[in-house]
Amino acid sequence: MDVRQSLVMAIRNLQANKLRFMQTTLGMVIGVAAAVVILCMGSNLLKGVGAFYSAYSSSLMYMGVYTSVENSPRVTVADMEGLVESSEYITAVSPLVFVEDCNLRYDGQTLDKAAVKGVSEQFLNMKPACKVVAGRFLQPLDISRRQNVCVVGSAVASELLDCQNFEEAIGKTVKIYGENFTVIGVLGEIKPDLEDGNYENYIPYTSAKQLTGDIVMPLKEDYYLDVYYVNLNSTDNIINGRDTVRELLAEVSGRPHGETTMLFSLSTRTSQKYDRECVFGMVGKLLGLSGFVLLVGGVGIMNVMLAAVQERKQEIGVRRAYGATAREIRRQFVLEAVCTSALGALLGIVLGMPTGWLVCRFMGSVPIGYAGQLFFSLELLDFISLLLPAFIAAAVAILIGVIFGLYPANKAAKLEPVAAINSD
């Protein structure tokens, strides 16, 4: 009997026991569907992490400078900007001032999703995804004169300022903390829209400081917190750039780093690596659960196959008496196990692919790791990207079917023909 005949007979035997067959495949269906959904989510999360960090310079560092309120001179923006000239590693520095709960208003309307950040003119070079499509970005004169000017995101221009043409937004006045700010520029749409980037607005950091005042962090004692974006000439110089800023802090304070001044630094590359590890860790744990379900399904297949061997002893004995070899009997039962797991995998894929698509489409903003409490929105997942996770899950399910089907198949192959025919 060749493989084709064995396969046909295996399918007929399974059709003769439909209810038992469907119950056996249930574990495989659930396990494969869960694995497909988890792999799709993991793949999409990794895409989101990559897309988020692609918006920023790869050699960018986020630095928080903590200075004791009572015991140390404070590092100034001029000190930090002076590193661009004095250091061979640092190419640009921009203060970063978060204007919390800004209540960006225009014509009596408030846009809740809008965020306002105070930066310098150097910031535009640190975030390549930001492109000015109307008007201009901040200039040194805006910074030095503490001008109340604002560069708005594309979503703010269209939703809050109600501008179909972004040029119409130039010259309009928005209110931040009750202060009037004139729109001087509009940023182009960021695709995909990461961290609600199209709702971000930028004002001179000097003007932002006037709105927020100094930020004081109550750690062991009170510390001023000054935040900077520092761009390096290479990702290989992350440690050198960090050490350069630490040396500046020690020089200004007159004491070793860590006594009255502290530096918290985080590079784009390190943050991306950490976030990817978070995704892999989460996906690995969830896949472990789906793998457990698949193993339970495999045990179910083995139990049903053992019961089938017991019920079909006489059939096996007759076939052996008519010349069937032990190898053919073994192949017969292995094919039945494979058919069971393959159908379960197929049904799991049919269930898991649309479910995975829907989950990735509607799950919204997902937090990943620490890294500044980053958030991003998942983009629309194409069905084609589901094929690889589905193939992987199906292959694992079929492999489990083969493994758990071998024991009952071997048991059937070892039956003595006379004893099998005479069994009750």
Side-chain angles (χ1 to χ4, degrees), residues 237-253:
N237 289 323
I238 290 175
I239 296 178
N240 292 328
R242 181 199 64 193
D243 291 342
T244 299
V245 176
R246 284 183 174 179
E247 290 172 2
L248 174 65
L249 298 184
E251 179 183 344
V252 172
S253 66

Side-chain angles (χ1 to χ4, degrees), residues 1 9 41 54 95 128 174 197-198 264 284 313 341 375 397:
M1 181 182 292
M9 182 174 290
M41 288 173 56
S54 67
V174 297
N198 292 319
F264 168 79
K313 278 187 175 181
S341 59
F375 288 84

Side-chain angles (χ1 to χ4, degrees), residues 137-155:
F137 197 67
L138 303 176
Q139 295 180 353
L141 200 60
D142 300 322
I143 309 297
S144 61
R145 293 186 176 181
R146 301 179 181 177
Q147 300 277 39
N148 281 7
V149 293
C150 181
V151 179
V152 300
S154 58

Side-chain angles (χ1 to χ4, degrees), residues 4 34 40 46 146 164 179 196 213 321-322 347 349 363 371 385 421:
R4 180 177 175 277
C40 291
L46 289 174
R146 301 179 181 177
Q164 302 300 321
E179 297 285 338
D196 289 334
Y322 277 91
L347 294 176
I349 291 172
M363 68 189 300
S385 64
I421 292 173

Side-chain angles (χ1 to χ4, degrees), residues 200-310:
E200 287 188 348
N201 311 274
Y202 300 98
I203 63 176
Y205 72 86
T206 49
S207 302
K209 276 284 189 182
Q210 286 185 314
L211 296 176
T212 63
D214 287 326
I215 299 175
V216 178
M217 304 294 292
L219 302 177
K220 292 182 179 179
E221 56 183 284
D222 289 342
Y223 282 83
Y224 289 119
L225 172 60
D226 299 301
V227 180
Y228 296 91
Y229 274 136
V230 177
N231 202 44
L232 308 177
N233 59 0
S234 170
T235 55
D236 296 331
N237 289 323
I238 290 175
I239 296 178
N240 292 328
R242 181 199 64 193
D243 291 342
T244 299
V245 176
R246 284 183 174 179
E247 290 172 2
L248 174 65
L249 298 184
E251 179 183 344
V252 172
S253 66
R255 299 183 182 183
H257 173 266
E259 286 192 8
T260 58
T261 59
M262 296 183 293
L263 175 67
F264 168 79
S265 63
L266 195 64
S267 68
T268 302
R269 186 177 68 177
T270 302
S271 298
Q272 183 174 11
K273 179 182 177 182
Y274 180 80
D275 289 348
R276 288 176 63 87
E277 289 174 352
C278 288
V279 173
F280 282 123
M282 179 190 69
V283 170
K285 292 176 182 177
L286 294 176
L287 282 178
L289 294 176
S290 66
F292 179 76
V293 175
L294 287 174
L295 287 176
V296 172
V299 172
I301 290 176
M302 183 177 67
N303 290 335
V304 169
M305 296 302 296
L306 286 172
V309 170
Q310 189 67 26

Side-chain angles (χ1 to χ4, degrees), residues 36 47 84 93 106 125 132 155 164 203 218 222 242 263 267-268 272 285 292 316 320 335 368 375 392 401:
V36 170
K47 288 180 183 178
V84 176
V93 173
Y106 173 75
N125 299 324
V132 177
Q164 302 300 321
I203 63 176
D222 289 342
R242 181 199 64 193
L263 175 67
S267 68
T268 302
Q272 183 174 11
K285 292 176 182 177
F292 179 76
I316 296 169
R320 290 297 304 275
L335 285 175
I368 296 297
F375 288 84
I392 294 172

